[in-house]
Amino acid sequence: GKGNYRHFMMKEIAEQPAVIGDTLQVFLNPLERRIELPAMPFDFAKLSRLTIVACGTAYLAGFVAKYWFEQIARLPVEIDVASEFRYRTAPLPPDGATLVISQSGETADTLAALRYAKSEGNKIIAVVNVPESTIAREADVVLQTLAGPEIGVASTKAFTTQLVVLATLAIAAARARGAIDAKREGELSGALIEVPARVSEVLNHDQRLKEIALKVAEARDVLFLGRGTSYPIALEGALKLKEISYIHAEGYAAGEMKHGPIALIDEEVPVIVVAPYDDLFDKTASNLQEVRARGGRVVFFSDAEGVAKLGGDAMAAVTLPKVDPFVAPILYAVPVQLLAYHAAVAKGTDVDQPRNLAKSVTVE
Ligand code: M6R
Protein backbone atom coordinates (compact mmCIF):
# COMPACT_ATOMS: atom_id res chain seq x y z
CA GLY A 1 0.00 0.00 0.00
CA LYS A 2 0.85 3.67 0.05
CA GLY A 3 1.40 3.82 3.80
CA ASN A 4 1.13 7.40 4.97
CA TYR A 5 1.77 8.78 1.52
CA ARG A 6 -0.81 10.32 -0.79
CA HIS A 7 0.80 8.80 -3.85
CA PHE A 8 3.00 5.84 -4.66
CA MET A 9 5.37 8.22 -6.41
CA MET A 10 6.16 10.10 -3.20
CA LYS A 11 6.48 6.87 -1.26
CA GLU A 12 8.92 5.57 -3.88
CA ILE A 13 10.93 8.81 -3.87
CA ALA A 14 11.22 8.54 -0.09
CA GLU A 15 12.35 4.90 -0.29
CA GLN A 16 15.45 5.82 -2.26
CA PRO A 17 18.00 5.93 0.57
CA ALA A 18 16.97 2.42 1.60
CA VAL A 19 16.78 0.82 -1.84
CA ILE A 20 20.01 2.46 -3.01
CA GLY A 21 21.67 1.01 0.09
CA ASP A 22 20.17 -2.45 -0.56
CA THR A 23 21.37 -2.39 -4.16
CA LEU A 24 24.86 -1.21 -3.26
CA GLN A 25 25.25 -3.95 -0.71
CA VAL A 26 25.08 -6.56 -3.46
CA PHE A 27 27.82 -5.07 -5.60
CA LEU A 28 30.13 -3.25 -3.19
CA ASN A 29 32.18 -4.70 -0.37
CA PRO A 30 32.11 -1.83 2.14
CA LEU A 31 35.01 -3.04 4.28
CA GLU A 32 37.43 -3.37 1.39
CA ARG A 33 35.79 -0.54 -0.53
CA ARG A 34 35.89 -2.76 -3.55
CA ILE A 35 33.37 -3.55 -6.27
CA GLU A 36 32.34 -7.19 -6.57
CA LEU A 37 30.28 -8.07 -9.63
CA PRO A 38 29.29 -11.43 -11.12
CA ALA A 39 31.69 -12.81 -13.74
CA MET A 40 31.23 -11.18 -17.14
CA PRO A 41 31.02 -13.28 -20.32
CA PHE A 42 33.68 -11.03 -21.88
CA ASP A 43 36.78 -9.20 -20.77
CA PHE A 44 36.31 -5.47 -20.23
CA ALA A 45 40.00 -5.00 -21.00
CA LYS A 46 39.46 -6.35 -24.53
CA LEU A 47 36.13 -4.71 -25.21
CA SER A 48 36.25 -2.40 -28.23
CA ARG A 49 32.91 -0.80 -27.53
CA LEU A 50 29.95 -0.94 -25.20
CA THR A 51 26.53 -0.28 -26.74
CA ILE A 52 23.82 0.89 -24.35
CA VAL A 53 20.14 0.61 -25.29
CA ALA A 54 16.97 1.40 -23.31
CA CYS A 55 13.81 3.55 -23.33
CA GLY A 56 12.64 6.58 -21.38
CA THR A 57 14.10 7.02 -17.94
CA ALA A 58 16.13 3.80 -18.24
CA TYR A 59 17.74 5.31 -21.35
CA LEU A 60 18.67 8.38 -19.32
CA ALA A 61 20.32 6.19 -16.68
CA GLY A 62 22.34 4.71 -19.54
CA PHE A 63 23.17 8.22 -20.73
CA VAL A 64 24.73 9.08 -17.35
CA ALA A 65 26.61 5.76 -17.49
CA LYS A 66 28.03 6.62 -20.91
CA TYR A 67 29.87 9.57 -19.30
CA TRP A 68 31.06 7.33 -16.48
CA PHE A 69 32.38 4.54 -18.73
CA GLU A 70 34.16 7.06 -20.93
CA GLN A 71 35.62 9.12 -18.10
CA ILE A 72 36.74 6.54 -15.61
CA ALA A 73 37.10 3.36 -17.72
CA ARG A 74 38.19 5.03 -21.00
CA LEU A 75 35.73 2.68 -22.71
CA PRO A 76 34.09 3.82 -25.98
CA VAL A 77 30.32 3.84 -25.58
CA GLU A 78 27.47 4.22 -28.00
CA ILE A 79 23.97 4.83 -26.72
CA ASP A 80 20.57 4.94 -28.38
CA VAL A 81 16.90 4.64 -27.59
CA ALA A 82 15.71 1.11 -28.30
CA SER A 83 12.98 2.12 -30.77
CA GLU A 84 15.63 3.61 -33.09
CA PHE A 85 18.39 1.13 -32.40
CA ARG A 86 16.30 -1.93 -33.25
CA TYR A 87 15.70 -0.77 -36.83
CA ARG A 88 18.96 1.02 -37.56
CA THR A 89 20.73 -2.20 -38.57
CA ALA A 90 23.80 -0.75 -36.90
CA PRO A 91 26.90 -2.90 -37.38
CA LEU A 92 28.15 -3.94 -33.95
CA PRO A 93 31.74 -4.98 -33.31
CA PRO A 94 31.74 -8.75 -32.69
CA ASP A 95 34.07 -8.18 -29.74
CA GLY A 96 31.61 -5.67 -28.30
CA ALA A 97 29.02 -6.02 -25.59
CA THR A 98 25.56 -4.55 -25.29
CA LEU A 99 24.05 -3.24 -22.07
CA VAL A 100 20.26 -3.03 -21.84
CA ILE A 101 18.50 -1.29 -18.96
CA SER A 102 14.85 -1.84 -18.05
CA GLN A 103 12.88 -1.58 -14.83
CA SER A 104 10.15 -3.97 -15.97
CA GLY A 105 12.34 -6.16 -18.16
CA GLU A 106 9.38 -6.35 -20.56
CA THR A 107 9.69 -3.24 -22.72
CA ALA A 108 9.09 -4.42 -26.29
CA ASP A 109 11.63 -2.18 -28.01
CA THR A 110 14.36 -2.92 -25.47
CA LEU A 111 13.77 -6.64 -25.84
CA ALA A 112 13.97 -6.34 -29.64
CA ALA A 113 17.20 -4.36 -29.29
CA LEU A 114 18.64 -7.09 -27.05
CA ARG A 115 17.78 -9.75 -29.66
CA TYR A 116 19.32 -7.68 -32.43
CA ALA A 117 22.56 -7.16 -30.48
CA LYS A 118 22.70 -10.90 -29.79
CA SER A 119 22.25 -11.68 -33.47
CA GLU A 120 25.25 -9.40 -34.13
CA GLY A 121 27.34 -11.57 -31.81
CA ASN A 122 27.35 -9.27 -28.78
CA LYS A 123 27.14 -10.55 -25.23
CA ILE A 124 24.30 -8.95 -23.29
CA ILE A 125 24.36 -7.41 -19.81
CA ALA A 126 20.92 -6.49 -18.49
CA VAL A 127 20.19 -4.14 -15.61
CA VAL A 128 16.63 -5.00 -14.57
CA ASN A 129 14.40 -4.63 -11.56
CA VAL A 130 12.30 -7.72 -12.25
CA PRO A 131 14.56 -10.81 -12.28
CA GLU A 132 11.95 -13.16 -13.76
CA SER A 133 11.32 -10.85 -16.73
CA THR A 134 11.87 -11.71 -20.40
CA ILE A 135 14.86 -9.40 -20.73
CA ALA A 136 16.49 -10.94 -17.65
CA ARG A 137 15.94 -14.43 -19.08
CA GLU A 138 17.45 -13.62 -22.46
CA ALA A 139 20.52 -11.74 -21.18
CA ASP A 140 23.92 -13.34 -20.56
CA VAL A 141 24.42 -11.54 -17.25
CA VAL A 142 21.77 -9.91 -15.08
CA LEU A 143 22.54 -7.13 -12.62
CA GLN A 144 19.45 -6.58 -10.55
CA THR A 145 18.35 -3.30 -9.06
CA LEU A 146 16.79 -3.92 -5.65
CA ALA A 147 14.27 -1.11 -5.95
CA GLY A 148 11.36 -3.38 -5.05
CA PRO A 149 8.05 -3.00 -6.89
CA GLU A 150 7.66 0.40 -8.54
CA ILE A 151 3.97 1.25 -8.89
CA GLY A 152 4.00 4.91 -9.94
CA VAL A 153 4.20 5.25 -13.71
CA ALA A 154 6.92 7.86 -13.26
CA SER A 155 10.14 6.01 -12.63
CA THR A 156 12.03 7.27 -9.57
CA LYS A 157 13.66 4.65 -7.35
CA ALA A 158 14.24 2.41 -10.38
CA PHE A 159 16.27 5.23 -11.95
CA THR A 160 18.53 5.92 -8.97
CA THR A 161 19.13 2.23 -8.31
CA GLN A 162 19.96 1.77 -12.01
CA LEU A 163 22.50 4.57 -11.64
CA VAL A 164 24.03 2.85 -8.63
CA VAL A 165 24.41 -0.47 -10.46
CA LEU A 166 25.83 1.28 -13.51
CA ALA A 167 28.32 3.19 -11.34
CA THR A 168 29.63 -0.08 -9.88
CA LEU A 169 29.86 -1.55 -13.39
CA ALA A 170 31.82 1.47 -14.61
CA ILE A 171 34.25 1.11 -11.70
CA ALA A 172 34.66 -2.61 -12.42
CA ALA A 173 35.32 -1.81 -16.09
CA ALA A 174 37.83 0.87 -15.09
CA ARG A 175 39.71 -1.60 -12.89
CA ALA A 176 39.74 -4.29 -15.60
CA ARG A 177 41.06 -1.78 -18.13
CA GLY A 178 43.75 -0.51 -15.79
CA ALA A 179 42.23 2.96 -15.96
CA ILE A 180 42.05 3.46 -12.18
CA ASP A 181 44.21 2.26 -9.28
CA ALA A 182 43.06 0.69 -6.01
CA LYS A 183 43.23 4.07 -4.27
CA ARG A 184 40.84 5.70 -6.73
CA GLU A 185 38.56 2.66 -6.63
CA GLY A 186 38.46 3.10 -2.85
CA GLU A 187 37.55 6.78 -3.21
CA LEU A 188 34.81 6.12 -5.75
CA SER A 189 33.44 3.25 -3.65
CA GLY A 190 33.55 5.47 -0.58
CA ALA A 191 31.58 8.14 -2.44
CA LEU A 192 28.96 5.51 -3.38
CA ILE A 193 28.71 4.25 0.20
CA GLU A 194 27.85 7.81 1.27
CA VAL A 195 25.03 8.16 -1.26
CA PRO A 196 22.11 6.82 0.83
CA ALA A 197 22.88 9.29 3.65
CA ARG A 198 23.29 12.16 1.19
CA VAL A 199 20.02 11.30 -0.57
CA SER A 200 18.30 11.44 2.83
CA GLU A 201 19.64 14.98 3.22
CA VAL A 202 18.32 15.91 -0.21
CA LEU A 203 14.87 14.64 0.82
CA ASN A 204 14.92 17.19 3.64
CA HIS A 205 14.56 19.91 0.98
CA ASP A 206 11.08 18.66 0.16
CA GLN A 207 9.22 21.72 1.53
CA ARG A 208 11.51 24.13 -0.29
CA LEU A 209 11.07 22.21 -3.54
CA LYS A 210 7.32 22.27 -3.03
CA GLU A 211 7.39 26.08 -2.77
CA ILE A 212 9.45 26.28 -5.96
CA ALA A 213 7.15 23.78 -7.69
CA LEU A 214 4.13 25.99 -6.98
CA LYS A 215 5.75 28.72 -9.08
CA VAL A 216 6.90 26.30 -11.77
CA ALA A 217 3.38 24.85 -11.98
CA GLU A 218 2.12 28.18 -13.37
CA ALA A 219 4.42 28.02 -16.37
CA ARG A 220 3.48 26.76 -19.80
CA ASP A 221 7.04 25.84 -20.74
CA VAL A 222 10.03 24.91 -18.63
CA LEU A 223 13.65 24.42 -19.65
CA PHE A 224 16.16 22.19 -17.84
CA LEU A 225 19.88 22.72 -18.42
CA GLY A 226 22.95 20.74 -17.43
CA ARG A 227 26.43 19.81 -18.64
CA GLY A 228 28.35 16.53 -18.39
CA THR A 229 26.46 14.01 -16.26
CA SER A 230 24.07 16.82 -15.28
CA TYR A 231 22.85 16.91 -18.89
CA PRO A 232 21.02 13.55 -18.70
CA ILE A 233 19.68 14.67 -15.31
CA ALA A 234 18.27 17.77 -17.01
CA LEU A 235 16.65 15.50 -19.61
CA GLU A 236 15.25 13.35 -16.82
CA GLY A 237 13.87 16.42 -15.03
CA ALA A 238 12.08 17.48 -18.19
CA LEU A 239 10.72 13.98 -18.82
CA LYS A 240 9.45 13.68 -15.25
CA LEU A 241 7.78 17.09 -15.33
CA LYS A 242 5.99 16.62 -18.65
CA GLU A 243 4.95 13.07 -17.88
CA ILE A 244 3.07 13.83 -14.66
CA SER A 245 2.25 17.57 -14.69
CA TYR A 246 1.62 17.88 -18.46
CA ILE A 247 3.72 21.06 -18.51
CA HIS A 248 5.81 21.27 -21.65
CA ALA A 249 9.42 20.81 -20.62
CA GLU A 250 12.67 20.36 -22.49
CA GLY A 251 16.08 19.33 -21.31
CA TYR A 252 19.11 20.79 -23.07
CA ALA A 253 22.85 20.53 -22.85
CA ALA A 254 23.66 23.91 -21.30
CA GLY A 255 26.10 24.76 -24.06
CA GLU A 256 23.53 24.04 -26.79
CA MET A 257 21.23 26.76 -25.53
CA LYS A 258 22.70 29.46 -27.68
CA HIS A 259 22.15 27.26 -30.73
CA GLY A 260 18.39 27.69 -30.58
CA PRO A 261 16.44 27.28 -27.37
CA ILE A 262 17.65 30.60 -25.91
CA ALA A 263 15.12 32.21 -28.26
CA LEU A 264 12.37 30.84 -26.02
CA ILE A 265 13.58 32.53 -22.87
CA ASP A 266 11.66 35.33 -21.22
CA GLU A 267 10.14 36.02 -17.78
CA GLU A 268 7.50 33.38 -18.41
CA VAL A 269 9.87 30.43 -18.80
CA PRO A 270 11.44 28.98 -15.65
CA VAL A 271 14.90 27.57 -16.34
CA ILE A 272 16.05 24.81 -14.04
CA VAL A 273 19.85 24.70 -13.91
CA VAL A 274 21.46 21.51 -12.59
CA ALA A 275 25.03 22.45 -11.67
CA PRO A 276 27.07 20.85 -8.90
CA TYR A 277 30.34 22.70 -8.27
CA ASP A 278 32.54 20.53 -10.50
CA ASP A 279 35.04 21.03 -13.33
CA LEU A 280 32.27 22.21 -15.65
CA PHE A 281 30.62 24.61 -13.20
CA ASP A 282 32.07 27.81 -14.68
CA LYS A 283 30.86 26.85 -18.13
CA THR A 284 27.31 26.24 -16.93
CA ALA A 285 27.51 29.43 -14.83
CA SER A 286 28.08 31.51 -17.94
CA ASN A 287 25.01 29.89 -19.55
CA LEU A 288 23.03 30.82 -16.43
CA GLN A 289 24.13 34.44 -16.86
CA GLU A 290 22.93 34.38 -20.46
CA VAL A 291 19.53 33.22 -19.25
CA ARG A 292 19.47 35.95 -16.61
CA ALA A 293 20.38 38.62 -19.17
CA ARG A 294 17.20 37.69 -21.06
CA GLY A 295 15.00 37.98 -18.01
CA GLY A 296 14.76 34.20 -17.47
CA ARG A 297 13.80 33.02 -14.00
CA VAL A 298 16.41 30.54 -12.85
CA VAL A 299 15.92 27.71 -10.38
CA PHE A 300 19.42 26.68 -9.39
CA PHE A 301 20.37 23.28 -8.00
CA SER A 302 23.95 23.23 -6.71
CA ASP A 303 26.03 22.72 -3.56
CA ALA A 304 27.24 25.31 -1.03
CA GLU A 305 30.15 26.44 -3.21
CA GLY A 306 28.01 26.79 -6.31
CA VAL A 307 25.23 28.61 -4.48
CA ALA A 308 27.76 30.98 -2.87
CA LYS A 309 28.99 31.86 -6.35
CA LEU A 310 25.71 32.16 -8.19
CA GLY A 311 22.75 31.62 -5.89
CA GLY A 312 22.09 35.37 -5.81
CA ASP A 313 21.41 35.38 -9.55
CA ALA A 314 18.62 32.83 -9.28
CA MET A 315 14.92 33.19 -8.53
CA ALA A 316 15.42 30.20 -6.21
CA ALA A 317 18.45 28.15 -5.22
CA VAL A 318 18.57 24.80 -3.50
CA THR A 319 21.80 23.87 -1.70
CA LEU A 320 22.48 20.16 -2.01
CA PRO A 321 25.21 18.25 -0.17
CA LYS A 322 28.74 18.40 -1.53
CA VAL A 323 29.77 15.02 -2.95
CA ASP A 324 32.37 13.55 -5.29
CA PRO A 325 31.27 14.73 -8.77
CA PHE A 326 31.17 11.06 -9.81
CA VAL A 327 28.06 10.39 -7.69
CA ALA A 328 26.46 13.84 -8.11
CA PRO A 329 23.98 12.72 -10.80
CA ILE A 330 22.48 10.18 -8.37
CA LEU A 331 21.84 12.95 -5.85
CA TYR A 332 20.64 15.55 -8.33
CA ALA A 333 18.05 13.12 -9.72
CA VAL A 334 16.08 13.57 -6.49
CA PRO A 335 15.26 17.30 -6.55
CA VAL A 336 14.01 17.04 -10.15
CA GLN A 337 11.71 14.21 -9.06
CA LEU A 338 10.36 16.26 -6.14
CA LEU A 339 9.90 19.31 -8.34
CA ALA A 340 7.85 17.31 -10.85
CA TYR A 341 5.87 15.61 -8.11
CA HIS A 342 4.84 18.82 -6.38
CA ALA A 343 4.09 20.58 -9.67
CA ALA A 344 1.79 17.69 -10.63
CA VAL A 345 0.06 17.71 -7.24
CA ALA A 346 -0.44 21.47 -7.59
CA LYS A 347 -1.99 20.94 -11.01
CA GLY A 348 -4.25 18.19 -9.69
CA THR A 349 -3.21 15.56 -12.23
CA ASP A 350 -3.34 11.83 -11.62
CA VAL A 351 0.24 11.57 -10.38
CA ASP A 352 0.55 7.78 -10.23
CA GLN A 353 -1.34 7.07 -13.44
CA PRO A 354 -0.83 9.99 -15.80
CA ARG A 355 -3.01 10.07 -18.89
CA ASN A 356 -1.99 8.08 -21.97
CA LEU A 357 0.85 6.30 -20.20
CA ALA A 358 1.41 2.67 -19.23
CA LYS A 359 3.87 1.50 -16.60
CA SER A 360 5.33 -1.00 -18.97
CA VAL A 361 5.27 -0.54 -22.75
CA THR A 362 5.04 -4.15 -23.91
CA VAL A 363 3.75 -3.37 -27.40
CA GLU A 364 5.51 -1.25 -29.97
O1 M6R B 1 10.40 -0.81 -17.77
P1 M6R B 1 11.39 0.05 -18.51
O2 M6R B 1 12.45 0.58 -17.63
O3 M6R B 1 11.96 -0.62 -19.72
O4 M6R B 1 10.54 1.30 -19.01
C1 M6R B 1 11.14 2.27 -19.83
C2 M6R B 1 10.26 3.50 -19.95
O5 M6R B 1 8.99 3.16 -20.47
C3 M6R B 1 10.08 4.22 -18.59
O6 M6R B 1 11.30 4.54 -18.00
C4 M6R B 1 9.28 5.52 -18.78
O7 M6R B 1 10.00 6.44 -19.53
C5 M6R B 1 8.88 6.09 -17.41
N1 M6R B 1 7.45 6.26 -17.33
C6 M6R B 1 9.54 7.40 -17.11
O8 M6R B 1 9.21 7.89 -15.85
Side-chain angles (χ1 to χ4, degrees):
K2 280 181 265 195
N4 293 327
Y5 294 95
R6 234 175 110 186
H7 300 100
F8 279 107
M9 183 179 175
M10 190 62 213
K11 173 175 178 266
E12 290 163 0
I13 289 173
E15 279 169 2
Q16 289 177 113
V19 295
I20 288 171
D22 294 346
T23 303
L24 264 181
Q25 227 162 49
V26 181
F27 302 112
L28 201 166
N29 178 330
L31 294 176
E32 293 181 30
R33 301 205 157 201
R34 198 182 139 87
I35 303 299
E36 288 167 2
L37 292 180
M40 295 289 149
F42 57 85
D43 182 355
F44 265 119
K46 300 204 180 91
L47 204 59
S48 63
R49 191 211 290 162
L50 181 67
T51 301
I52 305 180
V53 196
C55 300
T57 287
Y59 163 76
L60 295 173
F63 204 158
V64 172
K66 171 187 165 76
Y67 285 87
W68 283 337
F69 282 114
E70 291 175 347
Q71 277 168 13
I72 70 162
R74 307 300 302 149
L75 175 62
V77 175
E78 196 219 346
I79 179 160
D80 202 356
V81 291
S83 55
E84 283 302 311
F85 178 80
R86 64 179 293 189
Y87 295 121
R88 255 171 57 207
T89 62
L92 301 187
D95 58 345
T98 292
L99 170 65
V100 297
I101 308 162
S102 175
Q103 186 283 127
S104 62
E106 301 295 348
T107 300
D109 284 328
T110 309
L111 178 59
L114 176 161
R115 289 176 178 162
Y116 174 79
K118 248 190 180 178
S119 75
E120 284 284 295
N122 270 210
K123 294 289 186 204
I124 311 292
I125 314 174
V127 175
V128 296
N129 195 41
V130 182
E132 54 282 346
S133 60
T134 313
I135 288 174
R137 272 201 313 273
E138 296 197 15
D140 296 296
V141 197
V142 175
L143 304 177
Q144 194 195 343
T145 49
L146 296 186
E150 192 181 62
I151 310 296
V153 162
S155 185
T156 54
K157 61 176 180 168
F159 180 63
T160 48
T161 53
Q162 282 160 356
L163 288 178
V164 160
V165 172
L166 294 166
T168 63
L169 190 63
I171 295 171
R175 183 207 303 152
R177 296 171 70 82
I180 54 168
D181 57 16
K183 178 168 168 282
R184 184 67 185 139
E185 177 168 352
E187 285 166 10
L188 296 171
S189 301
L192 279 170
I193 292 166
E194 295 276 299
V195 166
R198 298 291 92 80
V199 169
S200 294
E201 290 170 37
V202 176
L203 291 171
N204 291 334
H205 292 283
D206 185 48
Q207 269 310 313
R208 176 86 185 111
L209 286 157
K210 184 175 171 182
E211 287 161 26
I212 298 170
L214 292 180
K215 292 186 203 158
V216 169
E218 291 164 9
R220 210 188 57 170
D221 309 283
V222 178
L223 228 54
F224 287 76
L225 302 179
R227 235 177 231 271
T229 52
S230 297
Y231 167 39
I233 299 304
L235 294 172
E236 169 63 4
L239 173 58
K240 228 59 325 152
L241 187 67
K242 72 184 115 184
E243 164 173 50
I244 58 170
S245 76
Y246 315 149
I247 298 169
H248 169 237
E250 281 190 69
Y252 257 95
E256 266 296 292
M257 218 193 24
K258 52 163 92 42
H259 300 284
I262 199 163
L264 294 172
I265 288 173
D266 61 21
E267 306 74 43
E268 306 291 304
V269 184
V271 181
I272 320 295
V273 179
V274 180
Y277 195 77
D278 58 17
D279 290 351
L280 300 173
F281 180 84
D282 290 340
K283 302 286 174 193
T284 307
S286 72
N287 302 126
L288 184 152
Q289 305 295 7
E290 289 156 8
V291 170
R292 285 285 299 138
R294 283 152 191 88
R297 293 182 305 157
V298 172
V299 174
F300 184 49
F301 294 157
S302 189
D303 45 36
E305 270 170 292
V307 171
K309 283 217 154 184
L310 282 175
D313 293 329
M315 166 181 83
V318 180
T319 309
L320 301 171
K322 175 78 189 161
V323 288
D324 187 309
F326 176 67
V327 300
I330 313 175
L331 245 70
Y332 283 69
V334 178
V336 303
Q337 296 167 350
L338 288 169
L339 190 72
Y341 173 76
H342 290 299
V345 172
K347 298 212 83 174
T349 59
D350 187 345
V351 172
D352 285 334
Q353 297 231 289
R355 67 186 182 202
N356 310 337
L357 285 168
K359 180 65 185 161
S360 172
V361 184
T362 53
V363 287
E364 234 184 296

